[in-house]
């Protein structure tokens, strides 16, 4: 397990100090860490456990239960493609295959140049405008393969 | 000065509403035209989004679907010019002009009670909310005995709109009757079912109605703290809710003495983290307490021993947001809508392969045919509709031969289906139902909390069995095995995930057997 850098450690400490006294704080803390660091480093788990008087196993169990929390640093841009039924009815499977071909990665992977991480998502609540894609928190509807190419190119013009 | 409405709803933004808003502001500026822009919610007519509206003496005029490139033309046609009373605006002849919003047939035929203000008001303005009838329900509730509030909700016939359809008033009465040092009101905003977006639209389009509903619930049962458990996939709703809660505190509608009543109610939003199971109420409570979202064994019910071991209301966004109109207009008013044991209105969400997807709030009783064709306009692809899935990933697939079924709790359960949260996903005749059955099992395997074996192991075995069927390996024996597995999961799972994930599989086997008898390459 990679050790935390000094600044990562400082960030984790700051979030713990701010949130530890809130009721049921663990998810809030994990969100705070991921929002700041981009992922939840394994080396943060013992710090969190000690602060909340939990076992490392309990904290690890929570981090790994939720799909939202990442265990490794993500790419510069996070691309989520909806795989749920509504989007499937409008061609989401083909869109996902197109994205994988274009980026040269599978779901849950990051491109070699660190530009894009590709993730599946199970409903973005945009089912009247399927298929839906979210990139860095921005929602897009009725996304065709050509439109997806445009959206990716807007973020990394060289790709 | 002309008032222009450009939605901030995530669905409208997903189709370019932000660029439209910027183009209008820029265009007005360069023409030195004064303008007031309201970023409203969506009217729910997503086939017309981005839908731009302009105030006019005769009612709002609608234009859509507008792209940023259309904006200069609209401004040249006089979009922002003053409207003389009784006439359409000068831009009324523009090709994108739709006439008065209220006259759009899709909207005009609806009965919007819960969604009365969505798309009309500025979502985070308390002043606008009150000007459009907001907080009258709470004012009435504060004048009543708590037991009378609970009684009104019971008498209205409101049933949980999250999917379980449990009578809301009965749940409240249980919490009301508990003696405890602290009680909670929690809102389940973990809207994870594919095909559903009514919670999102409400939270983005009229978050104050949810806040008012939760405040009424708190007054009714004596709770002092509320949590909205919001799924992480809804960042736009998250921002809108936080703005609205801050505004409600500022106006004295939340805090140590709600409207000077001496009753405290504090409210905050907590984010989920991408776990479908957390839409199950006990799993949601575990997650709110900061643990893995594993389901709890009931009893005790959350109403008796819920969040942090205290009596807790757990209601869906739509249920809570319907409470204000019930208190304002009376239980009878609400109960008079609907049919049989399905009282009131239901915000139905039309998604998937439809020409006109969107939100339709009507009294219970419309048939699937009316929804899919009269509102939905048939398939988006132009091909025949073959199946719909109602009620999310745990809902049954319904074949075209049963599209005459009314959409209410009892009628759907009569054909082995369920209404759930009111989402309808349409598929055309290119759908492969064996693959959809495989997906149902795959989804259950991905989202299972792992606590009980039928769900955790059964879903993985289910994927493997369907894979064998897809390859044409002993289809007869494997179909029999799949049916047996489904039965085991239905009977043996702790909660609705494992217990209902077989429904789409069983219905696909029953109504579309031909898709399971054909080997794929």
């Amino acid at each position: 397990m990679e050790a935390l850098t000094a600044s990562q450690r400082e960030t984790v400490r700051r979030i713990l100090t701010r949130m530890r006294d809130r009721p049921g704080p663990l998810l809030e803390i994990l969100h705070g860490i991921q929002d700041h660091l981009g992922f939840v480093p394994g080396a943060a788990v013992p710090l969190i456990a000690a602060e909340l008087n939990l076992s490392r196993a309990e904290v690890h169990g929570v981090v790994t239960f939720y799909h939202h929390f990442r265990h490794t640093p993500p790419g510069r841009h996070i691309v989520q493609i909806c795989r749920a039924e509504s989007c499937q009815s409008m061609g989401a499977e083909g869109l996902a295959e197109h994205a994988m071909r274009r980026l040269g990665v599978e779901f849950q992977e990051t491109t070699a140049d660190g530009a894009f991480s590709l993730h599946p998502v199970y409903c973005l609540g945009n089912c009247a405008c399927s298929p839906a894609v979210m990139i860095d928190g921005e929602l897009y509807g009725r996304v065709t393969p050509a439109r997806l190419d445009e959206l990716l190119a807007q973020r990394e013009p060289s790709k | 000065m002309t008032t222009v409405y450009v939605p901030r709803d995530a669905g409208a933004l997903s189709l370019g509403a932000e660029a439209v808003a910027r183009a209008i502001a820029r265009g007005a500026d360069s023409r030195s035209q004064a303008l007031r822009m309201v970023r409203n919610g969506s009217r729910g007519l997503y086939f017309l989004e981005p839908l731009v509206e302009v105030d006019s003496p005769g009612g709002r005029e609608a234009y859509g679907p507008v792209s940023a490139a259309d904006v200069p033309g609209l401004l040249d046609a006089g979009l922002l010019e003053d409207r003389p009373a009784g006439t359409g605006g000068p831009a009324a002849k523009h090709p994108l002009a739709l006439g008065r919003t209220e006259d759009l047939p899709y909207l005009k035929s609806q009965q919007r009670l819960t969604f009365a203000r969505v798309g009309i008001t500025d979502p985070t303005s308390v002043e606008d909310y009150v000007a459009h009838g907001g907080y009258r329900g709470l004012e009435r509730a504060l004048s009543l005995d708590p037991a009378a509030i609970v009684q009104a909700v019971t008498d209205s016939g409101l049933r949980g709109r999250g999917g379980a359809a449990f009578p809301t008033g009965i749940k409240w009465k249980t919490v009301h009757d508990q003696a405890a040092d602290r009680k909670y009101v929690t809102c389940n905003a973990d809207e994870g079912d594919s095909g559903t977006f009514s919670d999102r639209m409400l939270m983005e389009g009229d978050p104050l109605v949810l806040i008012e509903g939760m405040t009424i619930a708190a007054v009714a049962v004596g709770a002092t703290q509320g949590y909205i458990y919001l799924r992480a996939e809804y960042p736009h709703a998250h921002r809108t809710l936080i703005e609205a809660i801050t505004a409600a505190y500022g106006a004295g509608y939340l805090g140590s003495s709600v409207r000077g009543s001496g009753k405290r109610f504090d409210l905050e939003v907590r984010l989920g983290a991408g776990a479908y199971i957390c839409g199950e109420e006990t799993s949601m409570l575990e997650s709110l307490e900061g643990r893995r979202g594993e389901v709890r064994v009931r009893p005790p019910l959350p109403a008796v021993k819920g969040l942090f071991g205290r009596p807790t209301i757990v209601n869906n966004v739509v249920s809570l947001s319907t409470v204000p109109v019930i208190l304002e207009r009376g239980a009878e008013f609400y109960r008079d809508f609907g049919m049989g044991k399905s009282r009131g209105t239901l915000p139905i969400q039309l998604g998937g392969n439809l020409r006109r997807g969107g939100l339709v709030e009507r009294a219970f009783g419309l048939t699937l045919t009316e929804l899919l064709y009269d509102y939905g306009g048939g398939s988006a692809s132009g091909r025949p509709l073959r199946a719909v899935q109602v009620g999310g990933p745990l809902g049954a697939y319904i074949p075209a031969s049963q599209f005459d079924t009314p959409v209410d709790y009892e009628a759907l359960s009569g054909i082995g289906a369920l209404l759930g949260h009111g989402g309808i996903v349409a598929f055309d005749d290119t759908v492969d139902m064996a693959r959809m059955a495989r997906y149902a099992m795959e989804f259950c395997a991905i989202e299972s909390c792992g606590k009980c074996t039928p769900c955790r192991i059964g879903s993985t075995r289910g994927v493997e069995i369907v894979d064998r069927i897809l390859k044409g390996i002993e289809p007869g024996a494997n179909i029999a095995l799949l049916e047996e597995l489904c039965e085991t999961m239905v009977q043996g799972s702790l909660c609705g995930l494992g217990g209902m994930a077989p429904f789409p599989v069983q219905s696909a086997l029953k109504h579309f057997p031909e898709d399971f008898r054909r080997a794929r390459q």
Side-chain angles (χ1 to χ4, degrees):
Chain A
M1 186 163 56
E2 221 168 298
L4 294 177
T5 64
S7 92
Q8 285 176 331
R9 176 176 290 271
E10 171 53 31
T11 301
V12 172
R13 285 255 168 255
R14 188 163 37 81
I15 290 164
L16 282 169
T17 309
R18 198 172 71 224
M19 297 192 173
R20 68 182 166 210
D21 294 327
R22 310 186 54 174
L26 183 49
L27 251 71
E28 297 277 281
I29 288 168
L30 297 176
H31 272 297
I33 292 172
Q34 179 155 304
D35 289 349
H36 283 89
L37 303 182
F39 70 116
V40 181
V45 168
L47 294 181
I48 302 166
E51 191 72 40
L52 299 185
N53 199 22
L54 295 169
S55 71
R56 290 182 192 190
E58 282 171 299
V59 177
H60 176 78
V62 172
V63 179
T64 52
F65 181 87
Y66 294 96
H67 303 304
H68 179 79
F69 297 124
R70 291 182 289 268
H71 316 301
T72 51
R76 291 190 290 279
H77 304 286
I78 295 170
V79 181
Q80 295 172 290
I81 298 187
C82 180
R83 285 197 63 211
E85 290 89 341
S86 174
C87 288
Q88 286 188 45
S89 79
M90 292 298 283
E93 294 287 285
L95 184 65
E97 283 163 24
H98 172 82
M100 290 182 204
R101 259 197 320 274
R102 191 187 133 88
L103 296 175
V105 295
E106 300 283 310
F107 274 134
Q108 316 289 7
E109 292 179 357
T110 299
T111 54
D113 62 356
F116 294 104
S117 295
L118 187 64
H119 292 280
V121 62
Y122 297 91
C123 199
L124 293 163
N126 201 24
C127 318
C129 313
S130 291
V133 168
M134 190 173 266
I135 306 178
D136 300 335
E138 296 289 324
L139 184 62
Y140 300 94
R142 297 186 201 130
V143 181
T144 59
R147 175 77 178 131
L148 182 65
D149 289 348
E150 275 173 35
L151 294 170
L152 297 177
Q154 280 169 16
R155 286 167 173 82
E156 296 275 334
S158 61
K159 292 281 292 181
Chain B
M1 182 165 44
T2 309
T3 302
V4 183
Y5 301 83
V6 184
R8 61 185 282 177
D9 171 275
L13 295 176
S14 84
L15 301 172
E18 192 61 41
V20 171
R22 278 201 302 267
I24 292 175
R26 209 169 37 235
D29 196 43
S30 68
R31 288 168 169 77
S32 304
Q33 281 177 307
L35 128 122
R36 175 176 163 260
M37 190 182 293
V38 175
R39 302 304 302 272
N40 56 338
S42 170
R43 298 275 194 161
L45 284 62
Y46 283 103
F47 51 101
L48 297 177
E49 291 289 2
L51 183 79
V52 173
E53 292 178 84
V54 181
D55 256 345
S56 160
R60 288 186 195 171
E61 294 167 12
Y63 298 84
V66 177
S67 73
D70 295 321
V71 169
L74 278 165
L75 294 176
D76 289 344
L79 185 74
L80 299 180
E81 278 162 32
D82 285 339
R83 272 87 174 135
T87 68
K93 292 197 173 63
H94 191 278
L96 293 177
L98 300 164
R100 276 168 28 104
T101 316
E102 301 295 332
D103 292 339
L104 293 169
Y106 199 94
L107 200 55
K108 195 172 186 175
S109 56
Q110 297 196 29
Q111 294 160 308
R112 291 203 166 180
L113 304 182
T114 310
F115 275 71
R117 274 173 301 265
V118 175
I120 293 176
T121 50
D122 178 347
T124 59
S125 160
V126 174
E127 193 186 351
D128 210 13
Y129 182 66
V130 170
H132 286 82
Y135 276 125
R136 285 187 202 155
L138 177 65
E139 299 296 349
R140 170 116 198 289
L142 287 171
S143 73
L144 293 174
D145 186 57
I149 305 174
V150 174
Q151 193 60 46
V153 175
T154 306
D155 291 344
S156 75
L158 178 65
R159 294 164 69 177
R161 299 284 189 250
F166 188 81
T168 305
I170 308 247
K171 198 183 266 185
W172 286 26
K173 183 165 185 341
T174 309
V175 179
H176 172 272
D177 291 348
Q178 306 297 311
D181 63 337
R182 194 183 311 155
K183 297 179 185 178
Y184 295 100
V185 175
T186 61
C187 171
N188 185 343
D190 195 47
E191 183 176 55
D193 289 351
S194 173
T196 64
F197 45 85
S198 58
D199 293 354
R200 180 186 62 70
M201 280 185 66
L202 264 173
M203 292 185 287
E204 292 172 358
D206 193 14
L208 287 160
V209 78
L210 171 60
I211 295 168
E212 181 182 356
M214 292 184 75
T215 310
I216 294 170
V219 171
V221 303
T224 50
Q225 175 71 49
Y227 292 102
I228 299 169
Y229 184 85
L230 177 70
R231 63 199 301 257
E233 292 84 348
Y234 283 180
H236 305 80
H238 189 211
R239 290 191 284 272
T240 315
L241 281 171
I242 288 173
E243 274 180 57
I245 288 172
T246 306
Y249 269 105
Y253 285 97
L254 287 172
S256 57
S257 176
V258 172
R259 291 303 277 168
S261 64
K263 296 182 199 304
R264 166 179 284 277
F265 185 56
D266 290 305
L267 181 59
E268 67 175 90
V269 184
R270 288 287 181 98
L271 273 187
Y276 177 75
I277 189 62
C278 291
E280 193 282 334
E281 62 176 6
T282 63
S283 159
M284 184 196 87
L285 295 174
E286 286 292 305
S287 186
L288 270 176
E289 292 183 18
R291 285 195 289 272
R292 292 163 66 90
E294 290 182 4
V295 301
R296 295 178 183 172
V297 178
R298 285 173 295 194
L301 294 169
V304 177
K305 203 165 178 282
L307 188 64
F308 303 114
R310 305 300 203 294
T312 302
I313 286 182
V314 186
N315 280 146
N316 166 258
V317 175
V318 173
S319 314
L320 287 163
S321 301
T322 302
V323 167
V325 69
I326 291 170
L327 266 292
E328 182 202 341
R329 312 282 293 265
E332 299 72 27
F333 169 80
Y334 189 74
R335 198 182 51 206
D336 285 348
F337 292 86
M339 58 188 273
K341 287 187 199 161
S342 300
R343 310 310 313 179
T345 59
L346 178 71
I348 293 161
Q349 303 120 82
L350 298 177
N353 198 328
L354 288 177
R355 268 181 62 207
R356 296 194 295 261
L359 183 115
V360 178
E361 183 178 354
R362 286 275 300 256
F364 284 92
L366 282 181
T367 64
L368 284 168
T369 299
E370 289 170 292
L371 286 161
L372 294 170
Y373 293 97
D374 296 354
Y375 284 101
S379 74
S381 60
R383 303 183 65 94
L385 291 178
R386 185 173 184 224
V388 296
Q389 187 179 32
V390 182
L394 312 179
Y397 285 101
I398 300 172
S401 60
Q402 292 183 332
F403 284 178
D404 58 350
T405 309
V407 176
D408 77 18
Y409 298 116
E410 278 70 30
L412 282 170
S413 103
I415 60 163
L418 58 107
L419 177 53
H421 185 43
I424 299 178
V425 175
F427 295 83
D428 71 11
D429 63 352
T430 61
V431 65
D432 181 338
M433 295 308 298
R435 289 202 187 280
M436 298 317 295
R438 183 192 189 280
Y439 174 80
M441 285 293 185
E442 184 190 2
F443 181 74
C444 183
I446 294 167
E447 298 295 342
S448 174
C449 82
K451 185 154 177 160
C452 70
T453 317
C455 174
R456 184 183 69 243
I457 307 289
S459 53
T460 299
R461 294 292 96 87
V463 173
E464 294 164 0
I465 297 170
V466 180
D467 277 341
R468 289 201 291 274
I469 294 169
L470 286 168
K471 285 182 189 146
I473 301 168
E474 294 186 82
N478 277 308
I479 288 170
L481 187 60
L482 182 61
E483 282 170 343
E484 202 179 307
L485 173 71
C486 286
E487 192 60 26
T488 303
M489 289 174 69
V490 169
Q491 300 298 333
S493 299
L494 259 182
C495 82
L497 179 51
M500 291 157 68
F503 291 171
V505 181
Q506 291 169 317
S507 57
L509 282 165
K510 180 175 170 193
H511 298 299
F512 308 95
E514 62 276 19
D515 286 18
F516 293 83
R517 292 284 178 181
R518 169 166 67 81
R520 315 313 192 268
Q521 289 310 308

